[in-house]
Amino acid sequence: MIVQTPHTFHIPVMGLGFTIDTPAKVARYGISSVISIQEDNLIEQMREHYCGVANTPYIPIPEKDIDHRAKRITAYLDLLDELTSNQLYEISTQKFTGTNDIDRYFLLLDDEAPFKKIYKKMLATSDIQVKKVYEEVLRRSLKRGNIDVNIMTKCDRANNDDNGEKLPYEYSDAAAALRGFAKSRLSSSVVFSAGMNPRLFSYCESFDEFYPDQEGHLNKSIIVKVSDFRSADIQGKFLAKKGLWVSEFRIESGLNCGGHVFPTDGLLLGPILEQFQERKETLRNELFEIVNKALVAKGRQPFSTIPGIRLSVQGGIGTSEENSFLLNRYKVDSTGWGSPFLLVPEATNVDEESMNKLTKAKPEDYYVSYASPLGIGFNNFRHSSSEIQRKERIRKNRPGSPCYKKFLAFNTEFTKDPICTASRKYQHLKITQLQASDLNEKEKEEQINRVLEKDCLCEGLASPALLVNKIKVPRNLTAVTLCPGPNLAYFSKLSSLQEMVDHIYGRADIMNKLPRAHMFINELNMYIEHYQKKIVTGSNELGMQIKNNLQSYKANLIEGINYYMDLFPACITELTAKRELLMNS
């Protein structure tokens, strides 16, 4: 059964490698984190590494095994489960000295947490018998942070056997990853991100672990990452009709986040959270009725009482005041702190070169690019070694990546078998086509530059884990892709885990001195800029659909500004100016 952890924040998934082993570093302290299970080659390398750390025999799972992807994921998750369980047990046997990990566990907690208060009482008492009672209560309270996994639903490449024949769906990338998680010993959650994948969601029906037991408990639960309430409503009901309960909706800012961006149609985070708060119970009741009807139809045990639905929010949180505001004003259960943890070596994998660059970065170094082969916006860092490598390849007239892993190979414009738009092969074929086209020189240059902007994420987002853990990087492809959210511009200091958690809970301030608006206002500015770009992009397309979309986008922004004017009276002058700017656009 999945347990409630003692912290009110979590560390979201970051890239392929930044958080791939974060549970091994923080779960013992009750901190939950999310790992990507997309890249099974990296997972196998990390399993070999941690088998060495744990002095456990490593038995390779070769690629020739038809189900190698799922088996590798299961084996790694089982190893993390064993490793972190042993860590927690070791903590439970330690003496309270003020410096041991058992002390650190409680020192990291929010000062208002019940067991933090008991810990302080234990330290303050001089009565030996009372102290022993407190110590026993504290030992029994120890809980491991959840080890959750992330599957990006759009990354669901079909695979072939050794004869080139297409394998059944369950061997696709996302389905195999889901199976690997479902068969693991972990009792935790899978986070589905990047939108609905009906085939993948339907595949969840294959596993008993996602259904309630006789007591209504779930061994494995589902978290759906969403940008707005409508997405939660649609995806929640789709899964409920299959007898699958969504245990948490993880709300993420569409623009003020790391990695890929999924902007809403001008809907802002504040009004979105307000809508969730107003309609959460109604949605919960609707989902309960749908899911129980489906469970009975399947001949399965229905829920006897309505299960809970947690709400969490992430994207651009920077201060303890914002953190508390989200928890108290919108009654969310957890806040996600991602990019700032890139500057916490105790928690994430960032190589020394990249770390040094991040500590010296300026706000303009963070930008939304089209580097992703998925064809959607991608938060990027101008001085990453992968950006330097990409430009150097162009300079040498050898643009594109060799593309060994092919996880993002979906394009069939020139080839029968899908290839990646960041690959050397695709870029050569596409640029040749554009150069021979009838486009004018300006249009030709713009389209060629858009092709050249694509970069290899499979290598770049995995390499930091290998570099930090001193694991041999295959084919010496050591360039690192950095994709933090723009909020990292306000953090410039390498921090310990204690310092970062102290910052989250308001016991310290580790931000730099740059002027910074509230996270809601920062996101608003990003959406206004995004809207202005949409106007420029759509200026040559005068269709009614484009005009209606822009009008809807503007109306949503203005509605959001009006909401913020009521929420932040001190910002009325600034927000009025932004509203007038939109009204006149």
Side-chain angles (χ1 to χ4, degrees), residues 282-303:
T282 299
L283 176 61
R284 180 176 170 229
N285 290 329
E286 290 173 351
L287 294 180
F288 176 65
E289 183 177 346
I290 295 170
V291 77
N292 263 3
K293 183 178 179 181
L295 288 169
V296 170
K298 288 174 177 284
R300 289 186 174 271
Q301 176 71 32
F303 291 102

Side-chain angles (χ1 to χ4, degrees), residues 572-585:
I572 285 181
T573 301
E574 178 186 358
L575 290 168
T576 299
K578 295 181 190 300
R579 185 173 63 182
E580 290 177 355
L581 172 68
L582 287 167
M583 294 293 289
N584 295 327
S585 63

Side-chain angles (χ1 to χ4, degrees), residues 46 119 171 363 442 499 557:
M46 295 303 293
Y119 175 75
Y171 294 102
K442 182 180 178 182
E499 288 173 323
L557 283 178

Side-chain angles (χ1 to χ4, degrees), residues 120-133:
K120 288 181 177 180
K121 289 180 180 179
M122 183 272 296
L123 292 179
T125 186
S126 57
D127 188 312
I128 295 176
Q129 293 304 316
V130 173
K131 185 181 286 286
K132 285 183 178 179
V133 172

